[in-house]
Amino acid sequence: MYQFSRAIYRELAPKISPPPPGVDAARNHAAVLRACEAVITRLATDRHYFAHPARTLFGDIRAYFPMSAQSYVMRVVVRYVGCAERYVAEHPLEGYTAVSGAPPRCRATTRKGAACQRVPLAHNGYCPSHQHLAETEDRELAAA
């Protein structure tokens, strides 16, 4: 998954503004890279609750670029985050495992309040025993 965040950073690195005098020269580059990695990590581990990853990343990094480069930055972010979203949608278990190092777990909790330890189905993040929760979420979203 980190190939997406690194690709975003590599394409945007030449346009990053230099920091003010007296500040570490690599500060802005490090901040952009951290923001890219954070968004890709969250996309892979929590995609069901991450509504606008491209907008989030652009908001996090836009201050590190001059005004003349803002539209370019937005296009790059939208393109690569879109690719990452498609990859995670097609390979949710591999994406999660690549970032966290552990297999994904069901989003539900047991009756005792502990997290369910079963592997979820790819399309909604719930294991077969907790599919009824996904149906409830769908109805609540439709009613809102």
Side-chain angles (χ1 to χ4, degrees):
M1 287 303 301
Y2 286 117
Q3 68 265 24
F4 295 110
S5 62
R6 299 300 168 117
I8 296 169
Y9 171 75
R10 277 193 308 271
E11 192 155 335
L12 295 178
K15 305 254 186 209
I16 296 174
S17 299
V23 178
D24 182 26
R27 184 187 76 163
N28 289 356
H29 286 269
V32 170
L33 181 58
R34 274 194 310 276
C36 293
E37 288 178 349
V39 165
I40 297 300
T41 299
R42 183 168 175 211
L43 182 63
T45 59
D46 197 24
R47 72 186 174 101
H48 296 288
Y49 295 109
F50 197 9
H52 304 286
R55 187 171 28 175
T56 300
L57 179 57
F58 180 69
D60 291 346
I61 65 174
R62 65 184 289 179
Y64 299 105
F65 297 91
M67 287 301 294
S68 61
Q70 296 289 315
S71 63
Y72 173 76
V73 171
M74 184 63 173
R75 283 193 309 272
V76 169
V77 166
V78 168
R79 184 173 70 233
Y80 282 107
V81 170
C83 290
E85 286 178 308
R86 285 190 296 280
Y87 179 81
V88 170
E90 293 170 7
H91 310 284
L93 302 179
E94 292 89 348
Y96 184 95
T97 304
V99 170
S100 69
R105 298 285 180 229
C106 178
R107 297 179 351 193
T109 56
T110 64
R111 290 182 184 146
K112 294 183 180 180
C116 178
Q117 298 297 310
R118 295 184 69 195
V119 175
L121 299 175
H123 65 280
N124 63 11
Y126 289 105
C127 68
S129 299
H130 292 112
Q131 288 301 300
H132 64 283
L133 297 174
E135 295 165 6
T136 304
E137 280 181 356
D138 293 340
R139 276 185 262 144
E140 288 175 0
L141 288 174

Short mmCIF file of all heavy atoms in Angstrom, two decimals, residues 67-125:
data_model
loop_
_atom_site.label_atom_id
_atom_site.label_comp_id
_atom_site.label_asym_id
_atom_site.label_seq_id
_atom_site.Cartn_x
_atom_site.Cartn_y
_atom_site.Cartn_z
N MET A 67 0.56 28.76 -4.14
CA MET A 67 -0.78 28.86 -4.72
C MET A 67 -0.80 28.43 -6.18
O MET A 67 -1.78 27.83 -6.64
CB MET A 67 -1.30 30.30 -4.61
CG MET A 67 -1.69 30.70 -3.20
SD MET A 67 -2.97 29.65 -2.50
CE MET A 67 -4.33 30.04 -3.55
N SER A 68 0.27 28.70 -6.90
CA SER A 68 0.31 28.35 -8.32
C SER A 68 0.30 26.84 -8.56
O SER A 68 -0.01 26.39 -9.66
CB SER A 68 1.55 28.96 -8.97
OG SER A 68 2.72 28.46 -8.35
N ALA A 69 0.60 26.05 -7.55
CA ALA A 69 0.65 24.60 -7.70
C ALA A 69 -0.55 23.89 -7.10
O ALA A 69 -0.65 22.66 -7.18
CB ALA A 69 1.93 24.05 -7.06
N GLN A 70 -1.50 24.60 -6.53
CA GLN A 70 -2.62 23.97 -5.82
C GLN A 70 -3.46 23.07 -6.72
O GLN A 70 -3.82 21.97 -6.33
CB GLN A 70 -3.51 25.05 -5.18
CG GLN A 70 -2.83 25.86 -4.11
CD GLN A 70 -2.57 25.08 -2.85
OE1 GLN A 70 -3.43 24.37 -2.35
NE2 GLN A 70 -1.37 25.23 -2.31
N SER A 71 -3.77 23.51 -7.93
CA SER A 71 -4.61 22.67 -8.80
C SER A 71 -3.86 21.41 -9.22
O SER A 71 -4.44 20.32 -9.31
CB SER A 71 -5.09 23.45 -10.02
OG SER A 71 -4.00 23.84 -10.82
N TYR A 72 -2.56 21.54 -9.45
CA TYR A 72 -1.74 20.38 -9.80
C TYR A 72 -1.72 19.38 -8.63
O TYR A 72 -1.88 18.18 -8.83
CB TYR A 72 -0.32 20.82 -10.15
CG TYR A 72 0.64 19.69 -10.37
CD1 TYR A 72 0.59 18.93 -11.53
CD2 TYR A 72 1.58 19.36 -9.39
CE1 TYR A 72 1.47 17.88 -11.73
CE2 TYR A 72 2.46 18.31 -9.59
CZ TYR A 72 2.40 17.57 -10.75
OH TYR A 72 3.26 16.54 -10.92
N VAL A 73 -1.54 19.90 -7.43
CA VAL A 73 -1.51 19.04 -6.24
C VAL A 73 -2.83 18.30 -6.09
O VAL A 73 -2.86 17.09 -5.85
CB VAL A 73 -1.19 19.88 -4.97
CG1 VAL A 73 -1.38 19.05 -3.71
CG2 VAL A 73 0.21 20.44 -5.04
N MET A 74 -3.94 19.00 -6.29
CA MET A 74 -5.25 18.36 -6.17
C MET A 74 -5.42 17.27 -7.22
O MET A 74 -5.92 16.18 -6.90
CB MET A 74 -6.36 19.41 -6.31
CG MET A 74 -7.73 18.85 -6.09
SD MET A 74 -7.91 18.24 -4.42
CE MET A 74 -9.62 17.85 -4.38
N ARG A 75 -5.02 17.51 -8.45
CA ARG A 75 -5.14 16.48 -9.49
C ARG A 75 -4.31 15.25 -9.16
O ARG A 75 -4.78 14.12 -9.33
CB ARG A 75 -4.70 17.05 -10.85
CG ARG A 75 -5.73 17.94 -11.49
CD ARG A 75 -5.40 18.23 -12.95
NE ARG A 75 -4.05 18.69 -13.17
CZ ARG A 75 -3.65 19.96 -13.13
NH1 ARG A 75 -4.52 20.90 -12.85
NH2 ARG A 75 -2.40 20.29 -13.37
N VAL A 76 -3.09 15.45 -8.68
CA VAL A 76 -2.22 14.32 -8.33
C VAL A 76 -2.84 13.52 -7.18
O VAL A 76 -2.91 12.28 -7.23
CB VAL A 76 -0.81 14.81 -7.96
CG1 VAL A 76 0.02 13.70 -7.33
CG2 VAL A 76 -0.11 15.37 -9.18
N VAL A 77 -3.30 14.21 -6.17
CA VAL A 77 -3.89 13.54 -5.00
C VAL A 77 -5.12 12.75 -5.42
O VAL A 77 -5.27 11.58 -5.05
CB VAL A 77 -4.21 14.57 -3.89
CG1 VAL A 77 -5.11 13.97 -2.83
CG2 VAL A 77 -2.93 15.10 -3.28
N VAL A 78 -6.01 13.35 -6.19
CA VAL A 78 -7.23 12.66 -6.61
C VAL A 78 -6.90 11.43 -7.45
O VAL A 78 -7.49 10.36 -7.26
CB VAL A 78 -8.16 13.63 -7.38
CG1 VAL A 78 -9.28 12.89 -8.08
CG2 VAL A 78 -8.73 14.67 -6.43
N ARG A 79 -5.94 11.56 -8.35
CA ARG A 79 -5.57 10.43 -9.21
C ARG A 79 -5.03 9.25 -8.40
O ARG A 79 -5.49 8.12 -8.54
CB ARG A 79 -4.56 10.87 -10.26
CG ARG A 79 -4.22 9.76 -11.25
CD ARG A 79 -3.35 10.22 -12.38
NE ARG A 79 -2.01 10.53 -11.89
CZ ARG A 79 -1.37 11.68 -12.10
NH1 ARG A 79 -1.95 12.65 -12.75
NH2 ARG A 79 -0.16 11.86 -11.63
N TYR A 80 -4.05 9.51 -7.54
CA TYR A 80 -3.42 8.41 -6.80
C TYR A 80 -4.31 7.85 -5.70
O TYR A 80 -4.33 6.65 -5.46
CB TYR A 80 -2.07 8.84 -6.23
CG TYR A 80 -0.99 8.87 -7.27
CD1 TYR A 80 -0.49 10.07 -7.77
CD2 TYR A 80 -0.46 7.69 -7.78
CE1 TYR A 80 0.51 10.09 -8.73
CE2 TYR A 80 0.54 7.70 -8.74
CZ TYR A 80 1.02 8.90 -9.21
OH TYR A 80 2.00 8.93 -10.17
N VAL A 81 -5.05 8.70 -5.01
CA VAL A 81 -5.96 8.18 -3.98
C VAL A 81 -7.08 7.38 -4.63
O VAL A 81 -7.50 6.35 -4.10
CB VAL A 81 -6.51 9.33 -3.10
CG1 VAL A 81 -7.62 8.84 -2.19
CG2 VAL A 81 -5.39 9.94 -2.27
N GLY A 82 -7.52 7.79 -5.80
CA GLY A 82 -8.50 6.99 -6.54
C GLY A 82 -7.97 5.61 -6.89
O GLY A 82 -8.68 4.61 -6.77
N CYS A 83 -6.72 5.56 -7.31
CA CYS A 83 -6.08 4.26 -7.59
C CYS A 83 -6.00 3.41 -6.33
O CYS A 83 -6.27 2.21 -6.35
CB CYS A 83 -4.68 4.46 -8.17
SG CYS A 83 -4.65 5.12 -9.83
N ALA A 84 -5.64 4.03 -5.22
CA ALA A 84 -5.55 3.30 -3.95
C ALA A 84 -6.92 2.81 -3.51
O ALA A 84 -7.05 1.68 -3.02
CB ALA A 84 -4.93 4.19 -2.88
N GLU A 85 -7.95 3.63 -3.69
CA GLU A 85 -9.31 3.20 -3.32
C GLU A 85 -9.75 2.01 -4.16
O GLU A 85 -10.36 1.07 -3.63
CB GLU A 85 -10.30 4.35 -3.51
CG GLU A 85 -10.18 5.42 -2.45
CD GLU A 85 -11.14 6.57 -2.70
OE1 GLU A 85 -11.15 7.12 -3.82
OE2 GLU A 85 -11.88 6.91 -1.75
N ARG A 86 -9.46 2.04 -5.45
CA ARG A 86 -9.82 0.90 -6.30
C ARG A 86 -9.07 -0.36 -5.89
O ARG A 86 -9.64 -1.45 -5.84
CB ARG A 86 -9.56 1.23 -7.77
CG ARG A 86 -10.60 2.16 -8.36
CD ARG A 86 -10.48 2.29 -9.86
NE ARG A 86 -9.23 2.89 -10.29
CZ ARG A 86 -8.98 4.21 -10.29
NH1 ARG A 86 -9.90 5.05 -9.86
NH2 ARG A 86 -7.82 4.68 -10.71
N TYR A 87 -7.79 -0.21 -5.56
CA TYR A 87 -7.00 -1.37 -5.14
C TYR A 87 -7.57 -1.96 -3.84
O TYR A 87 -7.74 -3.17 -3.73
CB TYR A 87 -5.54 -0.98 -4.93
CG TYR A 87 -4.70 -2.14 -4.46
CD1 TYR A 87 -4.21 -3.07 -5.36
CD2 TYR A 87 -4.42 -2.32 -3.11
CE1 TYR A 87 -3.46 -4.15 -4.93
CE2 TYR A 87 -3.67 -3.39 -2.67
CZ TYR A 87 -3.19 -4.31 -3.59
OH TYR A 87 -2.46 -5.37 -3.15
N VAL A 88 -7.88 -1.10 -2.89
CA VAL A 88 -8.42 -1.58 -1.61
C VAL A 88 -9.79 -2.21 -1.81
O VAL A 88 -10.13 -3.19 -1.15
CB VAL A 88 -8.45 -0.44 -0.57
CG1 VAL A 88 -9.22 -0.83 0.66
CG2 VAL A 88 -7.05 -0.03 -0.19
N ALA A 89 -10.60 -1.67 -2.72
CA ALA A 89 -11.91 -2.25 -2.98
C ALA A 89 -11.79 -3.64 -3.61
O ALA A 89 -12.57 -4.54 -3.30
CB ALA A 89 -12.72 -1.34 -3.89
N GLU A 90 -10.79 -3.81 -4.48
CA GLU A 90 -10.59 -5.11 -5.13
C GLU A 90 -9.84 -6.10 -4.26
O GLU A 90 -10.03 -7.30 -4.39
CB GLU A 90 -9.83 -4.91 -6.44
CG GLU A 90 -10.61 -4.14 -7.48
CD GLU A 90 -9.77 -3.75 -8.68
OE1 GLU A 90 -8.60 -4.18 -8.77
OE2 GLU A 90 -10.28 -3.00 -9.53
N HIS A 91 -8.94 -5.62 -3.40
CA HIS A 91 -8.10 -6.48 -2.56
C HIS A 91 -8.11 -6.00 -1.11
O HIS A 91 -7.06 -5.62 -0.57
CB HIS A 91 -6.65 -6.48 -3.07
CG HIS A 91 -6.52 -6.73 -4.53
ND1 HIS A 91 -6.65 -7.98 -5.08
CD2 HIS A 91 -6.27 -5.89 -5.56
CE1 HIS A 91 -6.49 -7.90 -6.38
NE2 HIS A 91 -6.27 -6.65 -6.70
N PRO A 92 -9.25 -6.00 -0.44
CA PRO A 92 -9.30 -5.41 0.90
C PRO A 92 -8.45 -6.15 1.93
O PRO A 92 -7.83 -5.51 2.78
CB PRO A 92 -10.78 -5.47 1.26
CG PRO A 92 -11.35 -6.53 0.39
CD PRO A 92 -10.54 -6.52 -0.86
N LEU A 93 -8.39 -7.45 1.86
CA LEU A 93 -7.61 -8.19 2.86
C LEU A 93 -6.12 -7.97 2.66
O LEU A 93 -5.38 -7.77 3.63
CB LEU A 93 -7.95 -9.68 2.80
CG LEU A 93 -9.43 -10.02 3.03
CD1 LEU A 93 -9.65 -11.52 2.91
CD2 LEU A 93 -9.91 -9.50 4.35
N GLU A 94 -5.67 -7.96 1.41
CA GLU A 94 -4.25 -7.75 1.13
C GLU A 94 -3.82 -6.34 1.51
O GLU A 94 -2.74 -6.13 2.05
CB GLU A 94 -3.93 -8.01 -0.35
CG GLU A 94 -4.08 -9.45 -0.77
CD GLU A 94 -5.49 -9.78 -1.23
OE1 GLU A 94 -6.42 -8.97 -1.02
OE2 GLU A 94 -5.67 -10.86 -1.79
N GLY A 95 -4.67 -5.35 1.21
CA GLY A 95 -4.34 -3.97 1.55
C GLY A 95 -4.22 -3.76 3.04
O GLY A 95 -3.28 -3.13 3.53
N TYR A 96 -5.16 -4.32 3.79
CA TYR A 96 -5.12 -4.19 5.25
C TYR A 96 -3.90 -4.88 5.83
O TYR A 96 -3.20 -4.32 6.66
CB TYR A 96 -6.40 -4.79 5.85
CG TYR A 96 -6.51 -4.60 7.34
CD1 TYR A 96 -7.21 -3.53 7.85
CD2 TYR A 96 -5.91 -5.48 8.23
CE1 TYR A 96 -7.32 -3.34 9.21
CE2 TYR A 96 -6.02 -5.31 9.59
CZ TYR A 96 -6.73 -4.24 10.07
OH TYR A 96 -6.82 -4.05 11.43
N THR A 97 -3.63 -6.08 5.37
CA THR A 97 -2.49 -6.84 5.87
C THR A 97 -1.17 -6.16 5.53
O THR A 97 -0.24 -6.14 6.35
CB THR A 97 -2.52 -8.27 5.32
OG1 THR A 97 -3.78 -8.86 5.65
CG2 THR A 97 -1.41 -9.12 5.89
N ALA A 98 -1.08 -5.57 4.35
CA ALA A 98 0.16 -4.89 3.94
C ALA A 98 0.48 -3.71 4.85
O ALA A 98 1.64 -3.43 5.15
CB ALA A 98 0.05 -4.41 2.50
N VAL A 99 -0.54 -3.03 5.33
CA VAL A 99 -0.32 -1.85 6.16
C VAL A 99 -0.16 -2.22 7.63
O VAL A 99 0.73 -1.73 8.32
CB VAL A 99 -1.49 -0.86 6.00
CG1 VAL A 99 -1.43 0.25 7.02
CG2 VAL A 99 -1.47 -0.28 4.60
N SER A 100 -1.03 -3.10 8.13
CA SER A 100 -1.02 -3.38 9.56
C SER A 100 -0.17 -4.57 9.95
O SER A 100 0.21 -4.70 11.10
CB SER A 100 -2.46 -3.62 10.04
OG SER A 100 -2.93 -4.85 9.52
N GLY A 101 0.10 -5.47 9.02
CA GLY A 101 0.86 -6.66 9.33
C GLY A 101 0.03 -7.77 9.95
O GLY A 101 0.55 -8.83 10.27
N ALA A 102 -1.26 -7.53 10.13
CA ALA A 102 -2.15 -8.54 10.70
C ALA A 102 -3.39 -8.64 9.83
O ALA A 102 -3.75 -7.68 9.14
CB ALA A 102 -2.56 -8.13 12.12
N PRO A 103 -4.06 -9.78 9.84
CA PRO A 103 -5.28 -9.89 9.04
C PRO A 103 -6.38 -8.99 9.62
O PRO A 103 -6.39 -8.70 10.82
CB PRO A 103 -5.65 -11.37 9.15
CG PRO A 103 -4.98 -11.85 10.38
CD PRO A 103 -3.74 -11.01 10.54
N PRO A 104 -7.31 -8.55 8.80
CA PRO A 104 -8.38 -7.69 9.30
C PRO A 104 -9.32 -8.44 10.23
O PRO A 104 -9.41 -9.67 10.18
CB PRO A 104 -9.10 -7.24 8.03
CG PRO A 104 -8.76 -8.25 7.01
CD PRO A 104 -7.41 -8.79 7.37
N ARG A 105 -10.00 -7.71 11.06
CA ARG A 105 -10.97 -8.27 12.00
C ARG A 105 -12.33 -7.67 11.72
O ARG A 105 -12.45 -6.55 11.23
CB ARG A 105 -10.56 -7.95 13.45
CG ARG A 105 -9.23 -8.54 13.84
CD ARG A 105 -9.37 -10.03 14.06
NE ARG A 105 -8.09 -10.59 14.44
CZ ARG A 105 -7.58 -11.66 13.88
NH1 ARG A 105 -8.22 -12.29 12.94
NH2 ARG A 105 -6.42 -12.12 14.26
N CYS A 106 -13.35 -8.39 12.08
CA CYS A 106 -14.73 -7.94 11.94
C CYS A 106 -14.92 -6.63 12.70
O CYS A 106 -14.31 -6.40 13.75
CB CYS A 106 -15.65 -9.03 12.49
SG CYS A 106 -17.41 -8.62 12.46
N ARG A 107 -15.79 -5.76 12.20
CA ARG A 107 -16.01 -4.46 12.82
C ARG A 107 -16.94 -4.54 14.03
O ARG A 107 -17.09 -3.56 14.77
CB ARG A 107 -16.63 -3.50 11.81
CG ARG A 107 -15.72 -3.24 10.66
CD ARG A 107 -16.27 -2.31 9.62
NE ARG A 107 -17.65 -1.93 9.72
CZ ARG A 107 -18.32 -1.33 8.76
NH1 ARG A 107 -17.74 -1.05 7.63
NH2 ARG A 107 -19.58 -1.01 8.91
N ALA A 108 -17.57 -5.67 14.26
CA ALA A 108 -18.55 -5.81 15.33
C ALA A 108 -17.89 -6.15 16.67
O ALA A 108 -16.71 -6.50 16.73
CB ALA A 108 -19.55 -6.91 14.97
N THR A 109 -18.68 -6.04 17.71
CA THR A 109 -18.24 -6.47 19.04
C THR A 109 -19.13 -7.63 19.49
O THR A 109 -20.28 -7.76 19.05
CB THR A 109 -18.33 -5.34 20.08
OG1 THR A 109 -19.68 -4.84 20.11
CG2 THR A 109 -17.38 -4.21 19.73
N THR A 110 -18.60 -8.45 20.38
CA THR A 110 -19.36 -9.58 20.90
C THR A 110 -20.32 -9.10 21.98
O THR A 110 -20.29 -7.94 22.39
CB THR A 110 -18.43 -10.64 21.49
OG1 THR A 110 -17.74 -10.07 22.61
CG2 THR A 110 -17.42 -11.12 20.45
N ARG A 111 -21.15 -9.99 22.47
CA ARG A 111 -22.10 -9.63 23.54
C ARG A 111 -21.40 -9.18 24.81
O ARG A 111 -21.93 -8.40 25.58
CB ARG A 111 -23.00 -10.82 23.85
CG ARG A 111 -23.96 -11.13 22.75
CD ARG A 111 -24.86 -12.27 23.12
NE ARG A 111 -25.71 -12.59 21.98
CZ ARG A 111 -26.12 -13.79 21.68
NH1 ARG A 111 -25.77 -14.81 22.42
NH2 ARG A 111 -26.89 -13.98 20.64
N LYS A 112 -20.19 -9.67 25.01
CA LYS A 112 -19.43 -9.30 26.20
C LYS A 112 -18.65 -7.99 26.01
O LYS A 112 -17.97 -7.54 26.90
CB LYS A 112 -18.46 -10.41 26.58
CG LYS A 112 -19.18 -11.67 27.03
CD LYS A 112 -18.20 -12.72 27.47
CE LYS A 112 -18.94 -13.96 27.93
NZ LYS A 112 -18.01 -15.01 28.36
N GLY A 113 -18.72 -7.41 24.82
CA GLY A 113 -18.06 -6.14 24.56
C GLY A 113 -16.67 -6.23 23.96
O GLY A 113 -16.04 -5.22 23.70
N ALA A 114 -16.19 -7.43 23.73
CA ALA A 114 -14.86 -7.61 23.12
C ALA A 114 -15.00 -7.53 21.60
O ALA A 114 -16.06 -7.79 21.04
CB ALA A 114 -14.28 -8.96 23.52
N ALA A 115 -13.93 -7.16 20.95
CA ALA A 115 -13.94 -7.09 19.49
C ALA A 115 -14.05 -8.50 18.90
O ALA A 115 -13.41 -9.43 19.38
CB ALA A 115 -12.68 -6.41 18.99
N CYS A 116 -14.86 -8.65 17.88
CA CYS A 116 -14.99 -9.92 17.18
C CYS A 116 -13.65 -10.24 16.52
O CYS A 116 -13.03 -9.37 15.91
CB CYS A 116 -16.09 -9.85 16.13
SG CYS A 116 -16.31 -11.35 15.17
N GLN A 117 -13.20 -11.46 16.62
CA GLN A 117 -11.90 -11.86 16.10
C GLN A 117 -11.95 -12.54 14.75
O GLN A 117 -10.92 -12.94 14.22
CB GLN A 117 -11.21 -12.79 17.12
CG GLN A 117 -10.95 -12.14 18.46
CD GLN A 117 -9.99 -10.97 18.34
OE1 GLN A 117 -8.92 -11.10 17.76
NE2 GLN A 117 -10.38 -9.84 18.87
N ARG A 118 -13.13 -12.65 14.17
CA ARG A 118 -13.26 -13.36 12.90
C ARG A 118 -12.85 -12.47 11.74
O ARG A 118 -12.91 -11.25 11.80
CB ARG A 118 -14.70 -13.83 12.71
CG ARG A 118 -15.06 -14.87 13.78
CD ARG A 118 -16.43 -15.42 13.58
NE ARG A 118 -16.46 -16.23 12.37
CZ ARG A 118 -17.59 -16.60 11.79
NH1 ARG A 118 -18.75 -16.25 12.29
NH2 ARG A 118 -17.55 -17.34 10.69
N VAL A 119 -12.46 -13.09 10.63
CA VAL A 119 -12.07 -12.36 9.42
C VAL A 119 -13.35 -11.90 8.72
O VAL A 119 -14.26 -12.69 8.50
CB VAL A 119 -11.23 -13.26 8.49
CG1 VAL A 119 -10.93 -12.55 7.19
CG2 VAL A 119 -9.94 -13.67 9.18
N PRO A 120 -13.42 -10.62 8.35
CA PRO A 120 -14.64 -10.11 7.73
C PRO A 120 -14.74 -10.45 6.25
O PRO A 120 -13.75 -10.79 5.60
CB PRO A 120 -14.49 -8.60 7.91
CG PRO A 120 -13.03 -8.38 7.88
CD PRO A 120 -12.43 -9.58 8.57
N LEU A 121 -15.93 -10.31 5.73
CA LEU A 121 -16.13 -10.39 4.30
C LEU A 121 -15.66 -9.08 3.68
O LEU A 121 -15.72 -8.03 4.30
CB LEU A 121 -17.61 -10.62 3.98
CG LEU A 121 -18.20 -11.91 4.55
CD1 LEU A 121 -19.70 -11.97 4.29
CD2 LEU A 121 -17.51 -13.13 3.96
N ALA A 122 -15.20 -9.14 2.46
CA ALA A 122 -14.57 -7.97 1.84
C ALA A 122 -15.53 -6.82 1.57
O ALA A 122 -15.15 -5.67 1.65
CB ALA A 122 -13.90 -8.39 0.54
N HIS A 123 -16.78 -7.10 1.28
CA HIS A 123 -17.66 -6.03 0.81
C HIS A 123 -18.19 -5.11 1.90
O HIS A 123 -18.61 -4.00 1.60
CB HIS A 123 -18.82 -6.62 0.00
CG HIS A 123 -19.74 -7.48 0.79
ND1 HIS A 123 -19.45 -8.79 1.08
CD2 HIS A 123 -20.94 -7.22 1.33
CE1 HIS A 123 -20.44 -9.31 1.77
NE2 HIS A 123 -21.36 -8.38 1.94
N ASN A 124 -18.18 -5.53 3.18
CA ASN A 124 -18.71 -4.62 4.19
C ASN A 124 -17.96 -4.62 5.51
O ASN A 124 -18.29 -3.86 6.40
CB ASN A 124 -20.20 -4.89 4.44
CG ASN A 124 -20.45 -6.27 4.98
OD1 ASN A 124 -19.54 -6.97 5.38
ND2 ASN A 124 -21.71 -6.65 4.99
N GLY A 125 -16.98 -5.46 5.69
CA GLY A 125 -16.19 -5.44 6.91
C GLY A 125 -16.76 -6.23 8.08
O GLY A 125 -16.22 -6.15 9.18
#
